[in-house]
């Protein structure tokens, strides 16, 4: 084989390797986009670069793989469903208290499923691997909960917080039995953050025409 032939062979092999790497790289990126959905876009928007964001998402996958996640027993599902019914019934008389209880119940359910419940951002990172398409609801609920803690949330915002909490709660519960929760197959199959009208019919609207910020300074 002449020197020219050797060089041509090397070039061809390099081109083939480059094409193979390109296909592998695109496949990995598409896999991340498919798995994380809106969280992928959020990570890219907030990260230093797309490559750095993808590295972070793969790290989330690695940490998630180390978790020992558990399915709920039927009696546990029944208990959580009953607890949620009580929260929705309480909303009319104590919206802020219902939001606090909803947050606590979701956190309890997250823990029972086997997810860490430490720092909020860490919790979000773990949940994003399997529940990325409902995290928008959870983030919105968390923001409104913080407003409520400062006494700055309106009654309508508090109602929407319960709706948002309920979306993730239903998905973690693993059934469509939670009152007022539309089927996740119907509402989240293609979208990332369904509108507030898809699951709010069972959370009563406070009769407050002014809908001023709800005073949460007196906690129950």
């Amino acid at each position: 084989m002449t020197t020219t032939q050797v060089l041509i062979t090397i070039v061809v092999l390099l081109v083939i390797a480059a094409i193979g790497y390109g296909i592998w790289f695109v496949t990995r990126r598409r896999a991340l986009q498919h798995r994380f959905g809106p969280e992928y876009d959020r990570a890219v928007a907030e990260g230093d670069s797309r490559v750095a964001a993808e590295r972070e998402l793969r790290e989330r996958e690695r940490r998630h793989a180390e978790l020992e996640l558990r399915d709920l027993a039927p009696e546990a599902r029944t208990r959580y469903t009953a607890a949620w019914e009580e929260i929705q019934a309480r909303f009319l008389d104590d919206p802020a208290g219902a939001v606090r209880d909803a947050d606590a119940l979701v956190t309890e359910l997250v823990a029972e499923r086997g997810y860490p419940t430490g720092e909020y951002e860490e919790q979000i990172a773990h949940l994003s691997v399997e529940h990325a398409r409902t995290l928008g609801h959870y983030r919105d609920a968390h923001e409104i909960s913080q407003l409520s803690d400062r006494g700055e949330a309106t009654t309508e915002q508090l109602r929407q917080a319960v709706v948002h909490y309920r979306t993730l709660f239903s998905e973690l519960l693993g059934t469509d039995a939670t009152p007022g929760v539309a089927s996740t197959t119907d509402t989240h199959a293609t979208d990332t953050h369904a509108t507030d009208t898809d699951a709010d019919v069972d959370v009563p609207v406070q009769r407050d025409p002014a809908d001023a910020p709800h005073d949460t300074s007196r906690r129950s």
Side-chain angles (χ1 to χ4, degrees):
M1 182 178 292
T2 65
T3 302
T4 301
Q5 290 175 321
V6 171
L7 290 175
I8 291 175
T9 301
I10 292 173
V11 170
V12 170
L13 291 175
L14 289 175
V15 169
I16 293 174
I19 293 174
Y21 176 78
I23 294 173
W24 172 80
F25 185 83
V26 170
T27 300
R28 290 188 76 196
R29 172 166 291 176
R30 288 179 178 174
L32 283 175
Q33 291 171 329
H34 177 73
R35 180 162 203 176
F36 286 94
E39 278 296 302
Y40 177 91
D41 297 331
R42 187 185 187 95
V44 170
E46 295 179 351
D48 296 331
S49 68
R50 184 180 294 271
V51 172
E54 291 177 347
R55 187 183 305 116
E56 161 61 20
L57 293 176
R58 292 191 186 97
E59 176 62 18
R60 293 189 195 183
E61 288 182 320
R62 185 194 66 76
R63 295 197 303 267
H64 182 273
E66 296 175 350
L67 299 177
E68 295 183 4
L69 300 181
R70 303 177 292 272
D71 291 331
L72 292 178
E75 56 271 19
R77 289 195 180 96
T78 300
R79 172 168 52 85
Y80 278 109
T81 300
W84 189 265
E85 289 177 342
E86 292 179 3
I87 288 172
Q88 292 195 161
R90 181 185 179 190
F91 181 86
L92 191 61
D93 295 325
D94 185 8
V99 169
R100 290 194 303 274
D101 288 349
D103 179 77
L105 189 62
V106 169
T107 300
E108 180 183 341
L109 177 56
V110 166
E112 187 155 347
R113 286 294 312 275
Y115 289 99
T117 56
E119 295 293 330
Y120 169 72
E121 289 301 330
E122 179 185 8
Q123 185 176 335
I124 285 287
H126 284 296
L127 288 170
S128 69
V129 179
E130 289 190 358
H131 304 283
R133 300 186 186 280
T134 55
L135 278 188
H137 289 282
Y138 193 37
R139 291 181 190 275
D140 287 350
H142 181 72
E143 290 177 6
I144 296 172
S145 179
Q146 290 182 315
L147 287 176
S148 179
D149 288 342
R150 298 195 298 269
E152 299 173 0
T154 66
T155 306
E156 175 59 19
Q157 285 175 317
L158 294 171
R159 187 178 72 88
Q160 291 303 327
V162 174
V163 172
H164 290 311
Y165 276 126
R166 189 170 57 191
T167 303
L168 178 62
F169 179 82
S170 179
E171 185 167 288
L172 288 168
L173 200 62
T175 71
D176 293 329
T178 309
V181 178
S183 169
T184 54
T185 301
D186 296 334
T187 57
H188 297 290
T190 57
D191 193 14
T192 63
H193 190 164
T195 59
D196 296 332
T197 59
D198 59 4
D200 63 357
V201 293
D202 286 345
V203 181
V205 179
Q206 278 285 91
R207 293 183 292 274
D208 185 357
D211 200 18
H214 194 83
D215 183 3
T216 60
S217 58
R218 292 174 297 179
R219 301 186 179 275
S220 58

